[in-house]
Amino acid sequence: MKKAGLLLLGIIAAIVLLANLGSLVGMIISLGILYVAAKKFLKSDSTTGKVIWGIIGIIGLSTAVANMPAILGLVAVYVLYVIYKKWDEPGESEDPFTNFEKQWDELKRS
């Protein structure tokens, strides 16, 4: 039953990821442009260069803000990662006698 829930959650997370894939790519590109513009802005000595790189940085920032639905895609990636890690985890045994044996051994030790 636990695997069925994980599978259902994984399918939903994959659909959300695919739906937000375009905005994820757009955000990655715009954050890259913003990073390069910030580096060039700090290295520039001329006022004209600082103005040009500042304008490019503002454009990169505005496109990054416009791609905010990409955060849902990042959450979906994280959920898929957690599901992947939990998929092969050994769970509690369904057999009640196994649990009884464990508790009985604990009582014997104390």
Side-chain angles (χ1 to χ4, degrees), residues 83-103:
I83 290 172
Y84 176 75
K85 286 294 187 183
K86 289 191 180 264
W87 188 261
D88 287 328
E89 256 183 24
E92 281 291 319
S93 175
E94 297 288 329
D95 184 19
F97 295 109
T98 306
N99 292 331
F100 175 76
E101 291 293 330
K102 288 179 186 176
Q103 289 177 354

Side-chain angles (χ1 to χ4, degrees), residues 8-9 17 44 56 59-60 64 69 72 83-85 93 102:
L8 182 64
L9 191 61
L17 175 64
S44 180
I56 293 172
I59 291 170
L72 289 175
I83 290 172
Y84 176 75
K85 286 294 187 183
S93 175
K102 288 179 186 176

